[in-house]
Amino acid sequence: MSYTMAEDELALFDKSINEFGSKFINIFSDTPCQMVGLRDAYKDSIKALAEKLSVKLKEEERMVEMFLEYQNQICRQNKLIQEKKENLLKLITEVKGKKQELEVLTAKIQDLKEEYFRKKETISSANKANEERLKRLQKSADLYKDRLGLEIRKIYGDKLQFIFTGIDPKHPESPFMFSLHLNEARDYEVSDSAPHLECLAEFQENVRKTNNFSAFLANVRKAFTTMVYN
C-alpha cells in the first residue's frame, strides 16, 4: 500500500510539471518579474514535493525494517516451536519405550508368579507323596523288624544301614548288617557288610535287574543265616 501511495505522488508530480510547462508556454511573453515569481513558485513546489517524498521514503524504510524484524521474530518463534516439537517427540518416544519395558517386566513378573505357583503345587504334591511313602516305609520297617528282626537306619553319605538280629540262636542280639545307597545312575549299590558276604555282589545285580527289594532282603538274611550254621 505504501509503494502505491509513492507511485501516486510521482504521477501527481509529473502532472504538475506538465501543467507548469503549459502555463510557462502561455505566459512566455509576460514580464521578467512574472517569470521570476513563477520560477520561485516552481522551486517551492519541487521542494515541497521532495520533502513529502522524503517523508514517505522514510516511512517506507521504517515499515520495511518493521517487516524484517517481524520476519526475524517469526523465524525465532518457528525455531522454538520446532525445538519444543522435537523435545516432545523425544519425550513421547521415551515414554513409549518405558511403557514397553513396563509391559515386558509385568509379563515376566506374571510368568514368575505362575511358575512359582506351579512349583509350589508340585512341591506340595511331592511332599504329600513323600509323606505317604514314608508312612509305607515305616509300616514296612515295622513289619521287617517284627518278622525278620530287621532295623533300618540312615547313616552318613545318604546311606541306609540294614541291621538283622535273631539270626544266631546262641546270640540273638548279635547284629548282621550291610549298607546300601543309590549311585549316580540311580542303581542300588551295596557295601560295608558285616560279617562279609561273598554273594552280596550277586544279590546286588539281581535286585538291579528285578527291582524286587523284598526278595533281596530275604536272600541277604538267608545268606547270613547260612554263614552262622556253617
Side-chain angles (χ1 to χ4, degrees):
M1 182 181 295
S2 298
Y3 286 113
T4 303
M5 291 176 62
E7 290 176 356
D8 292 341
E9 294 290 341
L10 290 174
L12 182 60
F13 177 73
D14 289 337
K15 184 179 179 181
S16 299
I17 292 295
N18 292 329
E19 291 178 352
F20 176 77
S22 299
K23 290 179 180 181
F24 182 78
I25 293 172
N26 292 331
I27 62 172
F28 184 76
S29 59
D30 291 345
T31 61
C33 292
Q34 289 178 333
M35 293 182 64
V36 171
L38 184 60
R39 183 190 61 187
D40 293 339
Y42 174 73
K43 287 182 179 180
D44 292 339
S45 178
I46 294 298
K47 183 178 180 182
L49 287 174
E51 291 176 355
K52 195 170 184 179
L53 287 175
S54 177
V55 171
K56 294 295 181 180
L57 289 174
K58 289 181 179 180
E59 290 178 355
E60 291 292 333
E61 289 177 355
R62 285 196 298 270
M63 291 186 69
V64 170
E65 290 176 357
M66 290 175 63
F67 176 74
L68 293 176
E69 179 62 24
Y70 179 69
Q71 278 191 325
N72 292 333
Q73 290 179 0
I74 291 176
C75 290
R76 288 193 294 269
Q77 291 295 327
N78 288 337
K79 185 176 180 181
L80 290 174
I81 291 172
Q82 184 63 28
E83 290 177 355
K84 290 182 178 180
K85 181 179 179 181
E86 292 175 356
N87 292 334
L88 181 59
L89 292 175
K90 183 178 179 182
L91 181 60
I92 292 173
T93 302
E94 291 177 356
V95 170
K96 287 183 178 179
K98 295 296 182 182
K99 184 179 179 180
Q100 291 177 352
E101 290 178 3
L102 181 60
E103 290 175 352
V104 172
L105 182 60
T106 302
K108 287 183 178 179
I109 292 174
Q110 184 63 29
D111 291 341
L112 289 174
K113 284 183 178 179
E114 293 176 357
E115 183 178 359
Y116 167 75
F117 285 119
R118 287 195 298 269
K119 287 185 177 180
K120 186 178 180 180
E121 292 177 357
T122 302
I123 292 172
S124 178
S125 300
N127 287 337
K128 290 180 180 179
N130 287 334
E131 289 177 0
E132 294 296 326
R133 190 178 296 115
L134 287 174
K135 289 179 181 178
R136 292 195 299 270
L137 288 175
Q138 187 62 46
K139 289 181 180 180
S140 299
D142 294 340
L143 180 64
Y144 288 143
K145 186 174 183 180
D146 293 339
R147 295 187 180 182
L148 300 177
L150 174 62
E151 182 181 357
I152 303 174
R153 298 176 183 174
K154 185 176 181 180
I155 59 176
Y156 63 92
D158 291 330
K159 292 183 178 181
L160 293 178
Q161 188 179 57
F162 295 80
I163 305 172
F164 294 98
T165 57
I167 292 179
D168 188 350
K170 297 180 181 179
H171 306 283
E173 300 299 324
S174 296
F176 293 76
M177 65 187 75
F178 71 93
S179 298
L180 179 143
H181 70 280
L182 295 177
N183 58 23
E184 294 181 355
R186 309 304 293 174
D187 290 327
Y188 292 112
E189 190 164 331
V190 184
S191 61
D192 304 329
S193 63
H196 179 69
L197 290 176
E198 293 292 340
C199 58
L200 202 58
E202 180 183 350
F203 294 161
Q204 175 180 279
E205 291 301 319
N206 288 335
V207 73
R208 287 181 178 180
K209 293 177 181 179
T210 64
N211 204 31
N212 191 338
F213 198 72
S214 296
F216 167 75
L217 291 176
N219 288 333
V220 173
R221 182 178 177 82
K222 185 177 179 180
F224 279 135
T225 302
T226 301
M227 179 184 292
V228 170
Y229 284 98
N230 288 339

PDB file of all heavy atoms in Angstrom, residues 64 82 90 101 111 146 162 192:
ATOM      1  N   VAL A  64       9.666  -1.276   6.166  1.00  0.00           N
ATOM      2  CA  VAL A  64      10.498  -2.410   5.740  1.00  0.00           C
ATOM      3  C   VAL A  64      11.262  -2.988   6.918  1.00  0.00           C
ATOM      4  O   VAL A  64      11.357  -4.213   7.106  1.00  0.00           O
ATOM      5  CB  VAL A  64      11.449  -1.986   4.608  1.00  0.00           C
ATOM      6  CG1 VAL A  64      12.473  -3.087   4.335  1.00  0.00           C
ATOM      7  CG2 VAL A  64      10.671  -1.668   3.344  1.00  0.00           C
ATOM      8  N   GLN A  82       9.796 -25.601  16.739  1.00  0.00           N
ATOM      9  CA  GLN A  82      10.382 -26.824  16.209  1.00  0.00           C
ATOM     10  C   GLN A  82      11.176 -27.566  17.283  1.00  0.00           C
ATOM     11  O   GLN A  82      11.090 -28.802  17.402  1.00  0.00           O
ATOM     12  CB  GLN A  82      11.286 -26.490  15.009  1.00  0.00           C
ATOM     13  CG  GLN A  82      11.879 -27.713  14.313  1.00  0.00           C
ATOM     14  CD  GLN A  82      10.825 -28.605  13.711  1.00  0.00           C
ATOM     15  OE1 GLN A  82       9.757 -28.140  13.343  1.00  0.00           O
ATOM     16  NE2 GLN A  82      11.111 -29.888  13.626  1.00  0.00           N
ATOM     17  N   LYS A  90      10.652 -36.613  21.317  1.00  0.00           N
ATOM     18  CA  LYS A  90      11.643 -37.413  22.033  1.00  0.00           C
ATOM     19  C   LYS A  90      11.067 -37.934  23.347  1.00  0.00           C
ATOM     20  O   LYS A  90      11.259 -39.099  23.714  1.00  0.00           O
ATOM     21  CB  LYS A  90      12.896 -36.560  22.294  1.00  0.00           C
ATOM     22  CG  LYS A  90      14.017 -37.315  22.968  1.00  0.00           C
ATOM     23  CD  LYS A  90      15.239 -36.416  23.144  1.00  0.00           C
ATOM     24  CE  LYS A  90      16.364 -37.170  23.838  1.00  0.00           C
ATOM     25  NZ  LYS A  90      17.542 -36.282  24.044  1.00  0.00           N
ATOM     26  N   GLU A 101       8.875 -51.360  28.252  1.00  0.00           N
ATOM     27  CA  GLU A 101       9.684 -52.033  29.264  1.00  0.00           C
ATOM     28  C   GLU A 101       8.818 -52.475  30.435  1.00  0.00           C
ATOM     29  O   GLU A 101       8.983 -53.580  30.974  1.00  0.00           O
ATOM     30  CB  GLU A 101      10.802 -51.101  29.755  1.00  0.00           C
ATOM     31  CG  GLU A 101      11.885 -50.840  28.718  1.00  0.00           C
ATOM     32  CD  GLU A 101      12.937 -49.882  29.235  1.00  0.00           C
ATOM     33  OE1 GLU A 101      12.837 -49.481  30.421  1.00  0.00           O
ATOM     34  OE2 GLU A 101      13.857 -49.531  28.475  1.00  0.00           O
ATOM     35  N   ASP A 111       4.746 -64.277  34.653  1.00  0.00           N
ATOM     36  CA  ASP A 111       5.279 -65.613  34.361  1.00  0.00           C
ATOM     37  C   ASP A 111       5.940 -66.220  35.586  1.00  0.00           C
ATOM     38  O   ASP A 111       5.780 -67.419  35.877  1.00  0.00           O
ATOM     39  CB  ASP A 111       6.291 -65.537  33.210  1.00  0.00           C
ATOM     40  CG  ASP A 111       5.623 -65.215  31.877  1.00  0.00           C
ATOM     41  OD1 ASP A 111       4.396 -65.411  31.779  1.00  0.00           O
ATOM     42  OD2 ASP A 111       6.327 -64.746  30.960  1.00  0.00           O
ATOM     43  N   ASP A 146       9.570-106.806  62.978  1.00  0.00           N
ATOM     44  CA  ASP A 146       8.823-107.827  63.726  1.00  0.00           C
ATOM     45  C   ASP A 146       9.076-109.224  63.176  1.00  0.00           C
ATOM     46  O   ASP A 146       9.253-110.176  63.940  1.00  0.00           O
ATOM     47  CB  ASP A 146       7.329-107.504  63.676  1.00  0.00           C
ATOM     48  CG  ASP A 146       6.993-106.227  64.438  1.00  0.00           C
ATOM     49  OD1 ASP A 146       7.801-105.828  65.301  1.00  0.00           O
ATOM     50  OD2 ASP A 146       5.948-105.616  64.138  1.00  0.00           O
ATOM     51  N   PHE A 162      21.140-101.565  57.102  1.00  0.00           N
ATOM     52  CA  PHE A 162      20.182-102.625  57.397  1.00  0.00           C
ATOM     53  C   PHE A 162      20.812-103.571  58.428  1.00  0.00           C
ATOM     54  O   PHE A 162      21.864-104.167  58.168  1.00  0.00           O
ATOM     55  CB  PHE A 162      19.816-103.396  56.124  1.00  0.00           C
ATOM     56  CG  PHE A 162      19.088-102.548  55.113  1.00  0.00           C
ATOM     57  CD1 PHE A 162      19.782-101.671  54.279  1.00  0.00           C
ATOM     58  CD2 PHE A 162      17.710-102.627  54.998  1.00  0.00           C
ATOM     59  CE1 PHE A 162      19.108-100.899  53.363  1.00  0.00           C
ATOM     60  CE2 PHE A 162      17.035-101.865  54.068  1.00  0.00           C
ATOM     61  CZ  PHE A 162      17.725-100.986  53.254  1.00  0.00           C
ATOM     62  N   ASP A 192      29.806-102.449  52.781  1.00  0.00           N
ATOM     63  CA  ASP A 192      30.019-102.490  54.246  1.00  0.00           C
ATOM     64  C   ASP A 192      29.207-103.591  54.919  1.00  0.00           C
ATOM     65  O   ASP A 192      28.514-103.365  55.921  1.00  0.00           O
ATOM     66  CB  ASP A 192      29.643-101.134  54.883  1.00  0.00           C
ATOM     67  CG  ASP A 192      30.408 -99.982  54.269  1.00  0.00           C
ATOM     68  OD1 ASP A 192      31.547-100.198  53.853  1.00  0.00           O
ATOM     69  OD2 ASP A 192      29.829 -98.872  54.175  1.00  0.00           O
TER      70      ASP A 192
END
